[in-house]
Amino acid sequence: MALEALRVNRLRSALTMLGVIIGVSAVVILVAIGTGAKDAIEDEISGLGSNIILVVPGQLNFQAAPTQSRLDLADVAYVRRVVGDPGQVTVSVQSGESMRVGRNEAFVTIVGTDENIPNVFDRPLKRGRYLTESDIDTRRRVAVLGSEVSGQLFGDLDPVGRQATIAGVRFRVVGVYDKVGATFGVARDREVHIPVTTAQRLLGVQRVNGIAIGASGPDVIDSLGKKVVDALVARYPGEKFSAVTQTQLLGTIGTVLGMLTGVLAAIAGISLLVGGVGVSNIMLVSVRERTKEIGLRKALGARQRDVLGQFLIEAVLLTTIGGLIGIALGVGGSLLIEALSPVPASITLWSILLAFGVSVVVGVFFGVAPARRAGRLDPVVALRSE
Amino acid sequence: MTAFEAAGLTRSYQLEGVTVDALRGVDLTIGDGEFAAIIGPSGSGKSTLMHLLGCLDRPTSGVLKVGGVDVSTLDDTQLAELRNRMIGFVFQSFHLLARTSALDNVALPLVYRGVAKAERRAKAREALTAVGLAHRLDHRPSQMSGGEQQRVAIARALVGDPQVVLADEPTGNLDTRNGDEVMGLLERLNADQGVAIVLVTHEPEVAVRARRQIHVRDGLIERDVA
Ligand SMILES: Nc1ncnc2c1ncn2[C@@H]1O[C@H](COP(=O)(O)OP(=O)(O)OP(=O)(O)O)[C@@H](O)[C@H]1O
Ligand SMILES: [Mg+2]
């Protein structure tokens, strides 16, 4: 009976549902994108290697600008002693520079580091070798290229043994890394690793940007990080240092992205509410139009609750059908986005159930007022209305 | 038993601060199985009286008993149930649900009685057969003539075995031949099944077919001729 009433006004029912359809599909799609982004970023972070501690000067804080580093190579040696396993500590001095080979030029991230890179990070070689201790000690002008840099400057040629210029200084390529992809927007395939000592001279600095430590297992990460930070604070009283672990990063980013997803879902939820107002509006019009019908039904013995139920069911049916169509569109849209764009989208059951539940509730909530009005209509007034 | 017993029935409306007295103290008894016509000029209060008798409206003052029950003791839900069981309505403009088949229109009162679908349809078919519309079960109002529509409405009024049928100008929208047929049906309903009929009409030739004529003027019963 209720379906019949909706079918009678097909176009109007469809337009009324549109608000709910848009709202529900928006919730499903936006939550899918939010969840997809979160999954992708968490994947990247775990790709970094799970036992890494990054020690940086200052307080790690997403709002504050990074503090100027005061750490130098003597401090790195100090941290090595504190950690007790010098091979598990590596260092980084970074700068963006241009690199050229003949006529080819590429803008790359120069990373001054040492021979411990493979101990700490998961950075397999495609060709040649890593930096060595003697490269560092003798300040050799040698470089290990990220895969993208290699392709840009040398094309299909094997770069190992060839020359390249960084900021006007000649370097010899000794190795090429495998492709690893981007992390946090840091294009690691665009990095060029050179000895930290060479980098400091090239850039004219004494400082290092940060120290990375590979812990022996997940259980010692937190204690080791704290030990290093405490030792640095003891060395430089009154200053701040932070140890960032992957778990912390995951936690922070997870929270931020979770909030973002929530906000997106809430915005989409508002459009669901707007859709609900549309339903309310149309139901009021429908009650008015069908005043005579309501009067007749009451004359034939319909009780207040019968009429109320009839209109409430119509409203809920309207939003529920809209909700189902919206879910279908949302799932379809998410799959399409996942397939056709670089944006990751991962459909979650909870968003579908939530959107569906909300559309039913919206139907009840916004249907009640018009349905009560219908139920309370005075049969005589209703019958006399022509 | 009496179908209706009214004493000192009044009904006034407030219209923009002015009080309109549509009924000004009606005493009326209509027994079971009676056939009465209410006649009177336009605006005299006939429909108002019908609405009160049909429990669609409540009197401003006075006592009304329907089937022996004082309606002022009933709440809205009980009144709805009383209408459903005791009273069948026929209106001047048929009041059928458009886009709904004759069969489902006739079955509607049984929906509110909680009768199962199969039984509803069987009874509705029976009622439509009784008014000579067995061949129009699936027709919609727009696919039927005025006379046929009013016969569907009569089938709907009698499908629930009421004690009384209240008809407000049932022939008002029909030509003489169709009006005649509708009156014939009401007469047969009264004679064969003993259902009391109260009908409002303007037409003297319709009124004389009733066994009692109640003349209403200015909200009062002016003359009651049996
Ligand atoms: N809802 C209302 N509000 C105000 N006045 C009303 C209302 N309903 C009826 N009336 C007034 O009550 C009086 C009686 O109306 P009623 O409809 O009973 O007349 P009637 O005898 O049925 O007339 P007709 O033959 O034209 O149908 C009229 O003066 C009418 O204007
Ligand atoms: Mg009237």
Side-chain angles (χ1 to χ4, degrees):
Chain A
M1 200 156 76
L3 258 181
E4 182 58 38
L6 299 186
R7 211 174 300 139
V8 163
N9 260 309
R10 233 172 292 211
L11 180 62
R12 187 208 272 175
S13 301
L15 287 174
T16 311
M17 279 182 212
L18 201 58
V20 177
I21 293 173
I22 290 171
V24 167
S25 53
V27 167
V28 173
I29 289 178
L30 290 179
V31 170
I33 290 176
T35 312
K38 192 172 152 188
D39 289 352
I41 289 178
E42 289 183 350
D43 271 1
E44 278 185 10
I45 298 176
S46 1
L48 270 176
S50 52
N51 296 337
I52 298 163
I53 305 165
L54 297 172
V55 178
V56 292
Q59 189 132 36
L60 186 78
N61 188 328
F62 281 108
Q63 277 107 53
T67 324
Q68 183 64 43
S69 176
R70 67 117 58 244
L71 296 172
D72 58 22
L73 286 177
D75 299 314
V76 178
Y78 172 69
V79 168
R80 286 204 158 103
R81 284 196 300 279
V82 171
V83 171
D85 186 354
Q88 290 298 317
V89 178
T90 185
V91 64
S92 124
V93 176
Q94 297 200 358
S95 176
E97 301 291 339
S98 81
M99 183 169 185
R100 48 168 71 239
V101 173
R103 294 184 160 202
N104 295 345
E105 184 170 11
F107 196 74
V108 302
T109 307
I110 296 298
V111 180
T113 182
D114 60 21
E115 73 281 9
N116 294 327
I117 280 282
N119 303 341
V120 179
F121 293 100
D122 183 22
R123 219 45 214 270
L125 279 177
K126 188 156 84 187
R127 290 217 151 69
R129 62 168 177 85
Y130 291 105
L131 298 174
T132 62
E133 197 176 348
S134 84
D135 289 335
I136 316 297
D137 291 346
T138 60
R139 220 176 265 159
R140 237 172 242 144
R141 297 199 298 269
V142 291
V144 183
L145 309 184
S147 68
E148 194 182 331
V149 177
S150 163
Q152 253 177 311
L153 293 179
F154 293 97
D156 293 334
L157 291 177
D158 178 0
V160 175
R162 296 180 189 269
Q163 306 277 331
T165 340
I166 302 171
V169 178
R170 278 246 274 245
F171 280 74
R172 186 164 53 86
V173 177
V174 294
V176 181
Y177 287 120
D178 264 344
K179 190 172 165 59
V180 286
T183 307
F184 290 133
V186 176
R188 293 197 292 152
D189 293 322
R190 298 184 60 83
E191 286 176 355
V192 172
H193 288 188
I194 62 175
V196 60
T197 47
T198 317
Q200 285 179 327
R201 167 169 291 186
L202 185 75
L203 303 172
V205 296
Q206 294 297 311
R207 59 170 179 90
V208 298
N209 294 105
I211 300 170
I213 304 164
S216 57
D219 44 326
V220 300
I221 289 181
D222 287 343
S223 58
L224 186 60
K226 187 170 176 340
K227 186 167 142 195
V228 171
V229 168
D230 288 349
L232 284 170
V233 170
R235 189 170 162 101
Y236 300 108
E239 294 194 24
K240 287 238 159 50
F241 298 91
S242 312
V244 186
T245 63
Q246 185 213 20
T247 337
Q248 276 177 333
L249 274 180
L250 275 179
T252 315
I253 288 179
T255 317
V256 170
L257 284 173
M259 271 165 54
L260 199 71
T261 307
V263 168
L264 288 179
I267 291 172
I270 289 173
S271 68
L272 243 179
L273 279 189
V274 174
V277 173
V279 169
S280 204
N281 200 9
I282 283 301
M283 290 309 294
L284 280 175
V285 171
S286 170
V287 168
R288 174 151 306 178
E289 273 182 1
R290 286 153 70 191
T291 301
K292 232 165 58 172
E293 174 191 331
I294 295 165
L296 171 76
R297 286 176 183 275
K298 289 198 145 184
L300 299 185
R303 289 149 299 192
Q304 194 162 319
R305 63 166 180 271
D306 295 319
V307 176
L308 188 143
Q310 179 191 343
F311 280 87
L312 202 54
I313 287 172
E314 264 174 44
V316 171
L317 213 57
L318 209 53
T319 59
T320 306
I321 294 174
L324 287 176
I325 297 175
I327 287 172
L329 283 180
V331 168
S334 304
L335 292 176
L336 220 61
I337 288 174
E338 171 80 8
L340 300 182
S341 80
V343 180
S346 136
I347 298 159
T348 49
L349 188 63
W350 71 262
S351 69
I352 290 179
L353 294 180
L354 182 79
F356 184 73
V358 168
S359 50
V360 173
V361 170
V362 159
V364 173
F365 186 78
F366 288 98
V368 152
R372 283 175 74 139
R373 170 173 294 197
R376 288 187 179 158
L377 270 182
D378 181 343
V380 174
V381 173
L383 277 175
R384 279 195 194 253
S385 74
E386 284 295 330
Chain B
M1 260 257 289
T2 46
F4 298 110
E5 244 184 296
L9 221 51
T10 73
R11 178 68 170 99
S12 34
Y13 298 100
Q14 298 295 329
L15 203 65
E16 288 156 12
V18 183
T19 306
V20 179
D21 294 314
L23 289 181
R24 301 188 294 145
V26 169
D27 301 311
L28 178 67
T29 302
I30 293 176
D32 267 351
E34 269 203 59
F35 192 162
I38 298 176
I39 36 188
S42 186
S44 57
K46 305 183 298 291
S47 294
T48 305
L49 180 57
M50 287 294 261
H51 291 148
L52 288 180
L53 295 180
C55 302
L56 293 167
D57 195 9
R58 290 174 183 275
T60 308
S61 69
V63 180
L64 172 66
K65 288 185 182 169
V66 177
V69 182
D70 183 349
V71 296
S72 66
T73 63
L74 303 179
D75 64 20
D76 285 355
T77 303
Q78 290 167 320
L79 278 186
E81 281 158 7
L82 182 79
R83 290 196 291 271
N84 186 261
R85 277 184 293 102
M86 296 258 309
I87 301 164
F89 290 96
V90 179
F91 304 95
Q92 177 172 358
S93 50
F94 323 138
H95 279 319
L96 298 175
L97 296 185
R99 304 186 185 88
T100 304
S101 69
L103 194 67
D104 287 334
N105 261 299
V106 171
L108 195 54
L110 301 179
V111 170
Y112 298 117
R113 203 181 282 190
V115 176
K117 187 163 190 163
E119 193 187 337
R120 275 192 329 243
R121 301 201 135 208
K123 288 202 162 169
R125 190 173 295 121
E126 216 176 282
L128 279 166
T129 309
V131 298
L133 288 178
H135 58 302
R136 290 279 185 269
L137 301 185
D138 295 323
H139 281 59
R140 293 172 174 203
S142 59
Q143 298 163 333
M144 289 184 282
S145 74
E148 285 173 324
Q149 289 185 57
Q150 195 61 303
R151 278 148 68 193
V152 172
I154 291 173
R156 182 181 63 193
L158 63 87
V159 74
D161 287 325
Q163 234 175 301
V164 196
V165 168
L166 298 180
D168 196 345
E169 308 205 24
T171 59
N173 280 9
L174 302 177
D175 59 28
T176 322
R177 195 178 58 80
N178 277 308
D180 204 49
E181 199 165 339
V182 162
M183 282 308 295
L185 275 174
L186 291 176
E187 279 166 347
R188 243 189 313 128
L189 192 58
N190 177 253
D192 298 353
Q193 296 178 36
V195 178
I197 310 267
V198 180
L199 70 85
V200 167
T201 184
H202 272 124
E203 303 158 60
E205 58 273 31
V206 170
V208 294
R209 293 175 73 160
R211 288 197 296 276
R212 177 179 172 190
Q213 287 82 30
I214 301 163
H215 296 260
V216 178
R217 180 181 290 273
D218 289 339
L220 287 171
I221 293 181
E222 184 190 44
R223 212 146 37 93
D224 194 337
V225 191

